[in-house]
Amino acid sequence: MIPTSEPTARLRPGEGAIARLACLVLQPVLTRVVRRVATRHPSLFARLGPHQATDFLIDPVELPFALHLRPDPQALVFRAVPRDTAPQAGATIRGRFLLLLELIDAEQDGDAAFFSRDLEVSGDTEAVVRLRNALDDMDGSLAEEASAMFGAPGRAVLARLRRAYPDATKPQEYA
Amino acid sequence: MSLAELICPAGTPAALRTAVDAGADAVYCGFQDATNARNFPGLNFTPDELAEAVTYAHARGTKVLLALNTYPPAGKVDLWRHAADTGARLGVDAFIVADMGVADYIARTYPGIRLHLSVQAAASSPEAIRYYCENFGVKRVVLPRILTIPEIRQLRREIPCEIETFIFGNHGLMVEGRCSLTNYLTGQSTNMDGVCSPASDVEYVRDADGSMSSQLAGFTIDRFGVDEKAGYPTICKGRYAAPHRPEGYYAFEEPISLNLSRLLPELIEAGVHAFKIEGRQRSKSYVRGVVRAFRAAVDDIKAGREANIADLIALTEGQKQTQGAFETKKWR
């Protein structure tokens, strides 16, 4: 369940400054990652159809910033934004960060996360469905791919991130 | 004799490869248009993608079934005929059809390719099923989810074709292929456009207290409290106030999934030839988890072992599951 005590626009004391700093530090990484994904997985744009021009706000509820994605292959936008300056989004996807990451990597099922209320969507539902289907058609792990771009330090960060979420969003094991 | 084939869903080429690798005997899929009943945005296959998928599946001994299971509007059959021509050219192993005109076209044009009767045809009586077998050469019927196992066993004795039953996934009991609820609110037809509750008409609204409303074409069809599990935004699974139930209740159906994992031995004994997993709209994660679980269960049963069924509750709608009418018609 998404904590109701963390509404999107509410900032804790000092969070604004932290968010801005984090966005600044992250931006070069995000730009590199999204360009790499676009180059290696061009077919995902076809599944997005008219929603290549939609502004998506991906909102990891426990982080001090959100992610703004506009998957236009001619003018890709993927940037971290403080919530108080986030653009008006066509569609918003909210959940804990690792859940969002695992949804992208098809380690979790989006419908199941929606049923359990761990995932919340608002705005243009068709845009969200298209993005989900486009990402789900990619082979391999985007998280692994992105972390590998930064060598051993990148992989270590990913491993540490996964260890930091021991239970809440781990994929279910099947026999 | 029942072979207990496992028929698995694929909404994308990646999902198809996942299903094949997880042990599917056959995978069913559709094109990116109104010819199939999961015509959802960003889902399904282009002809080129289907060609690659057929090659991948056949190389691993898995069949590909093409769903052409919607009804062409009068005078607009070309899209369905063209889809059948493309499927035949690409070497699909069977067509899943509902419409008699589509069935007739395929039976006459491609007599060497199997025809399966979709659940969308809502054929559940021996008379109806025999009609399709005798006139179009249908080799298998996908039964609506309204029959008990004794009824299926009796039906098997009275029809000349194989039986396929759903074993997991969406539990829709409306008269399939006839439901017009979506059309009533959105103007789009589940049966002719292939969209039930089109995403373009769906909106989720979060209220200040953390509850969430599902809306379709501007109508609120359910509202989930903070601690409540959610379901799909379909009218048949909406919660409505009525004079006799002013507090609101599930007037038609509930958000719940079918799970027949514990009934597999009885279904095999009743003569069910193939088990269908619903969910072309679901992710690779769902496909991988559910197909693996049922592959292991079916293999255990075939080998005379007790099946060890994995817990799939986390993947069910509303996180609830039922054996539905297969166990008893009093299931609600």
Side-chain angles (χ1 to χ4, degrees):
Chain A
M1 191 74 61
I2 297 175
T4 54
S5 59
E6 299 178 60
T8 303
R10 187 182 299 164
L11 294 177
R12 288 184 285 267
E15 193 177 82
I18 295 170
R20 280 167 184 71
L21 182 62
C23 294
L24 207 62
V25 171
L26 271 178
Q27 195 49 55
V29 176
L30 295 176
T31 302
R32 209 172 142 194
V33 166
V34 76
R35 283 185 184 156
R36 166 96 162 204
V37 170
T39 305
R40 291 175 63 98
H41 305 280
S43 64
L44 77 84
F45 294 108
R47 289 191 183 274
L48 285 164
H51 290 289
Q52 292 178 358
T54 296
D55 288 302
F56 294 88
L57 193 68
I58 300 162
D59 187 3
V61 292
E62 73 278 49
L63 298 187
F65 54 84
L67 298 164
H68 169 212
L69 169 70
R70 189 188 305 141
D72 179 348
Q74 306 307 318
L76 271 174
V77 174
F78 189 44
R79 61 191 182 112
V81 289
R83 290 195 174 84
D84 56 346
T85 61
Q88 184 70 37
T92 299
I93 304 165
R94 298 182 74 226
R96 291 190 177 276
F97 178 67
L98 195 63
L99 171 66
L100 296 172
L101 198 62
E102 289 180 337
L103 286 169
I104 290 171
D105 275 357
E107 289 183 32
Q108 293 257 8
D109 178 68
D111 288 15
F114 173 79
F115 297 150
S116 67
R117 307 285 301 281
D118 291 319
L119 181 72
E120 199 172 278
V121 301
S122 58
D124 190 327
T125 307
E126 177 174 321
V128 175
V129 171
R130 279 193 177 273
L131 180 63
R132 191 275 303 265
N133 289 332
L135 292 172
D136 205 61
D137 192 37
M138 290 193 307
D139 286 320
S141 162
L142 264 185
E144 302 277 354
E145 207 173 293
S147 64
M149 286 169 61
F150 303 95
R155 283 189 286 270
V157 168
L158 181 62
R160 181 165 184 163
L161 186 62
R162 285 177 166 155
R163 279 198 303 275
Y165 290 78
D167 300 313
T169 60
K170 282 291 171 196
Q172 186 170 346
E173 294 296 329
Y174 300 102
Chain B
M1 178 191 167
S2 173
L3 296 174
E5 280 182 30
L6 208 50
I7 315 298
C8 304
T12 62
L16 182 139
R17 293 190 291 273
T18 300
V20 170
D21 295 346
D25 293 306
V27 181
Y28 64 103
C29 52
F31 286 127
Q32 294 175 352
D33 57 33
T35 58
N36 74 95
R38 287 286 184 270
N39 181 21
F40 293 176
L43 204 69
N44 293 323
F45 291 64
T46 65
D48 286 345
E49 288 171 343
L50 185 62
E52 290 180 16
V54 169
T55 301
Y56 186 90
H58 285 178
R60 291 156 181 81
T62 305
K63 299 186 184 90
V64 176
L65 318 181
L66 183 62
L68 302 178
N69 58 345
T70 42
Y71 292 85
K76 297 183 178 175
V77 297
D78 285 353
L79 183 65
W80 280 257
R81 288 181 177 177
H82 181 66
D85 295 340
T86 306
R89 176 171 53 82
L90 299 179
V92 300
D93 298 280
F95 294 107
I96 307 170
V97 300
D99 180 76
M100 290 186 198
V102 175
D104 183 67
Y105 175 76
I106 295 172
R108 290 175 190 275
T109 314
Y110 305 107
I113 303 181
R114 284 170 62 100
L115 273 181
H116 294 183
L117 190 63
S118 169
V119 71
Q120 283 288 99
S124 58
S125 70
E127 293 81 6
I129 296 167
R130 280 200 298 264
Y131 180 85
Y132 287 99
C133 295
E134 289 164 7
N135 288 281
F136 311 113
V138 161
K139 296 287 192 292
R140 179 184 297 179
V141 58
V142 184
L143 290 180
R145 287 154 273 203
I146 57 172
L147 300 173
T148 63
I149 292 179
E151 286 174 329
I152 293 172
R153 185 182 296 112
Q154 179 60 31
L155 185 66
R156 178 72 191 90
R157 298 187 188 110
E158 299 181 45
I159 60 173
C161 70
E162 301 164 357
I163 287 177
E164 181 173 310
T165 59
F166 283 92
I167 55 168
F168 191 84
N170 182 39
H171 192 231
L173 299 185
M174 308 304 284
V175 182
E176 288 168 278
R178 311 286 187 273
C179 177
S180 295
L181 289 176
T182 280
N183 203 335
Y184 181 66
L185 285 195
T186 71
Q188 293 197 65
S189 166
T190 303
N191 311 313
M192 292 188 283
D193 298 311
V195 282
C196 176
S197 288
S200 55
D201 285 287
V202 172
E203 190 171 1
Y204 301 107
V205 179
R206 188 187 209 225
D207 300 323
D209 65 355
S211 61
M212 177 187 73
S213 298
S214 295
Q215 299 183 352
L216 182 66
F219 293 89
T220 299
I221 57 177
D222 209 340
R223 187 166 185 270
F224 302 97
V226 174
D227 296 322
E228 270 190 300
K229 305 303 181 192
Y232 283 122
T234 57
I235 302 169
C236 60
K237 296 187 176 182
R239 204 160 16 178
Y240 306 99
H244 66 295
R245 297 284 295 272
E247 76 281 10
Y249 77 121
Y250 289 109
F252 303 103
E253 301 177 17
E254 297 173 31
I256 195 168
S257 290
L258 185 73
N259 185 353
L260 300 188
S261 54
R262 299 190 191 288
L263 295 180
L264 294 179
E266 287 178 65
L267 290 166
I268 292 172
E269 181 273 329
V272 173
H273 187 97
F275 295 141
K276 185 166 215 150
I277 294 168
E278 185 275 341
R280 283 196 283 139
Q281 76 283 11
R282 301 291 291 263
S283 67
K284 283 184 301 195
S285 170
Y286 168 95
V287 169
R288 183 169 52 240
V290 179
V291 175
R292 274 187 193 165
F294 280 100
R295 177 77 277 157
V298 168
D299 288 348
D300 281 344
I301 293 166
K302 282 179 169 179
R305 297 186 295 265
E306 189 172 343
N308 180 20
I309 307 293
D311 181 8
L312 299 171
I313 192 75
L315 293 171
T316 57
E317 184 177 3
Q319 299 203 330
K320 289 188 292 185
Q321 56 190 8
T322 179
Q323 296 181 132
F326 292 85
E327 182 187 26
T328 169
K329 289 200 174 179
K330 296 178 181 174
W331 71 276
R332 280 196 74 183

